[in-house]
Amino acid sequence: MHWLSLLVTLTFASFSFAYPNPIAIYGNTAADDPMLCKDGSGTYFLYSTGPGIEVRTSTDRITWTYAGVVWPDGASWTDPFTNTTNGSLWAPDSLLRGINFRVSKRKSAIFFAKSSTGLPGSFTNEGLVVSTADGDSYNAIDPNLLIGEFKFNLVFLDRLSICHEDGSTWYLSFGSFWTGIKGVPVKPNTGNTTTSTLDSLAQRNGSQAVEASVIYKYGDYYYLFTSWDKCCEGASSTYNVRVGRSKSRSGGFVDADGVALTDGGGTLILASHDGVFGPGGQDLLADSDGIVMVYHYFTSAGTIQYLGINHLDFSNGWPVVV
Ligand SMILES: *[C@@H]1O[C@H](CO)[C@@H](O)[C@H](O)[C@H]1NC(C)=O
Ligand SMILES: *[C@@H]1O[C@H](CO)[C@@H](O)[C@H](O)[C@H]1NC(C)=O
Ligand SMILES: *[C@@H]1O[C@H](CO)[C@@H](O)[C@H](O)[C@H]1NC(C)=O
Ligand SMILES: *[C@@H]1O[C@H](CO)[C@@H](O)[C@H](O)[C@H]1NC(C)=O
């Protein structure tokens, strides 16, 4: 009996579960392009794409309470980029972008906002960081801010928390199709760029989709996570999470096979499996129980992007979803 059940288990594991399921499957929480943050009192903040940017809070990282939107009264400074009056704002990170594909596929912008509480209505607009227009070979979307050596998700000034760190060096990565993921240093606390020269961090062969960059420092390396392929086509979504690493945050990333990320490299760490379709749009947080990755995914219903959470194990030098 035991040998039989063991054989069955191994076969099942080999062929059915290429990746672990998200914690708390199949999520009761909707969150597109989630971004996770935790304050000094242990409250988690989850920000996600939506008009005004949706905010949810949790004390256990499992049960989330909808708190409202970051800008309940709209975000008029983003209107030129969204062509709406209320800010169709996507992919929050430490910075927020406004984009509307009806206006122009490359008319995009990344804005910097600050808050002392992280709660709806508390953020101030600190200005435009980078923008793109038709004719540019990249797109100012999916911002990710790396502060000092670590990745922090949101700048909550005046509040001691792991969401806030005064690092002497801030580095913004962003981008998507065409010439891919770009990086640029920005001034601490102001978000102003210090140079108009952008670093090229990753590019797919054939200018395909490479989005949702996250740079995370672990040990001697900076790890660059990206999402490839189709983000948002319900159960047909093919989003998947890739990674490369470098000893520099501003370039030189290679995948586990040694292929440069600027030359189509990217080691696959999470793709569709079981009832999970198109996982991606990820973000990382160093939490008290280990490093967690949040992402969105569709179920077979294909209507809502749910919040997925897993731990990442970096112990062999390359992150593994566990
Ligand atoms: C803007 O958002 C507010 C709050 O959600 C809503 O009441 C209002 O109808 C929106 N206005 C427009 C023009 O969409
Ligand atoms: C902006 O929105 C208005 C109202 O929906 C529309 O008439 C106009 O064509 C839009 N502009 C662009 C550039 O898409
Ligand atoms: C950058 O500096 C200018 C003033 O030179 C300011 O208006 C703007 O808000 C600053 N912030 C960002 C994020 O660009
Ligand atoms: C991308 O193209 C380069 C050659 O230009 C090749 O070495 C590399 O393996 C390709 N990467 C992928 C992921 O196909």
Side-chain angles (χ1 to χ4, degrees), residues 99-179:
I99 186 172
N100 186 331
F101 284 97
R102 286 180 310 141
V103 178
S104 150
K105 283 198 169 180
R106 296 178 211 187
K107 185 173 179 182
S108 310
I110 293 169
F111 287 90
F112 182 39
K114 281 181 185 173
S115 165
S116 58
T117 65
L119 290 168
S122 67
F123 285 82
T124 55
N125 170 36
E126 300 292 323
L128 186 148
V129 185
V130 287
S131 64
T132 49
D134 270 351
D136 282 327
S137 68
Y138 57 97
N139 206 346
I141 66 166
D142 290 0
N144 172 71
L145 188 64
L146 176 75
I147 298 181
E149 290 204 331
F150 299 94
K151 177 180 183 307
F152 290 89
N153 290 312
L154 194 74
V155 180
F156 290 177
L157 294 180
D158 311 322
R159 187 181 203 192
L160 184 64
S161 79
I162 62 172
C163 303
H164 167 221
E165 177 77 1
D166 285 316
S168 57
T169 56
W170 285 21
Y171 191 78
L172 173 71
S173 63
F174 61 94
S176 68
F177 287 76
W178 308 295
T179 58

Side-chain angles (χ1 to χ4, degrees), residues 5 36 38 43 54 98 131 152 254 304:
S5 54
L36 181 64
K38 186 183 183 183
T43 300
E54 297 180 1
S131 64
F152 290 89
V254 296
I304 293 171

Side-chain angles (χ1 to χ4, degrees), residues 13-237:
S14 303
F15 294 104
S16 296
F17 289 105
Y19 301 102
N21 275 318
I23 293 168
I25 62 164
Y26 286 99
N28 349 48
T29 303
D32 179 1
D33 299 326
M35 167 209 145
L36 181 64
C37 185
K38 186 183 183 183
D39 76 7
S41 70
T43 300
Y44 293 93
F45 292 76
L46 186 75
Y47 298 85
S48 58
T49 288
I53 300 289
E54 297 180 1
V55 187
R56 289 175 173 78
T57 60
S58 175
T59 52
D60 61 6
R61 216 177 58 206
I62 294 172
T63 304
W64 296 90
T65 305
Y66 179 72
V69 301
V70 166
W71 286 292
D73 303 320
S76 55
W77 57 96
T78 66
D79 291 350
F81 295 94
T82 61
N83 197 30
T84 67
T85 55
N86 255 353
S88 177
L89 305 174
W90 293 5
D93 197 84
S94 308
L95 303 102
L96 303 167
R97 74 161 163 161
I99 186 172
N100 186 331
F101 284 97
R102 286 180 310 141
V103 178
S104 150
K105 283 198 169 180
R106 296 178 211 187
K107 185 173 179 182
S108 310
I110 293 169
F111 287 90
F112 182 39
K114 281 181 185 173
S115 165
S116 58
T117 65
L119 290 168
S122 67
F123 285 82
T124 55
N125 170 36
E126 300 292 323
L128 186 148
V129 185
V130 287
S131 64
T132 49
D134 270 351
D136 282 327
S137 68
Y138 57 97
N139 206 346
I141 66 166
D142 290 0
N144 172 71
L145 188 64
L146 176 75
I147 298 181
E149 290 204 331
F150 299 94
K151 177 180 183 307
F152 290 89
N153 290 312
L154 194 74
V155 180
F156 290 177
L157 294 180
D158 311 322
R159 187 181 203 192
L160 184 64
S161 79
I162 62 172
C163 303
H164 167 221
E165 177 77 1
D166 285 316
S168 57
T169 56
W170 285 21
Y171 191 78
L172 173 71
S173 63
F174 61 94
S176 68
F177 287 76
W178 308 295
T179 58
I181 303 295
K182 305 296 180 188
V184 67
V186 292
K187 282 186 192 160
N189 299 317
T190 70
N192 283 105
T193 53
T194 54
T195 169
S196 57
T197 306
L198 301 179
D199 302 317
S200 285
L201 305 184
Q203 184 176 359
R204 300 277 300 278
N205 287 351
S207 299
Q208 294 157 291
V210 49
E211 304 184 307
S213 67
V214 174
I215 302 175
Y216 189 85
K217 182 88 186 307
Y218 185 91
D220 291 338
Y221 289 98
Y222 294 90
Y223 291 82
L224 174 57
F225 295 78
T226 56
S227 296
W228 285 18
D229 301 329
K230 286 189 268 182
C231 69
C232 311
E233 304 200 355
S236 303
S237 299

Side-chain angles (χ1 to χ4, degrees), residues 68 133 135 166 273 282:
D166 285 316
H273 64 97
Q282 66 283 340

Side-chain angles (χ1 to χ4, degrees), residues 6-20:
L6 179 65
L7 179 65
V8 168
T9 302
L10 284 174
T11 304
F12 201 56
S14 303
F15 294 104
S16 296
F17 289 105
Y19 301 102

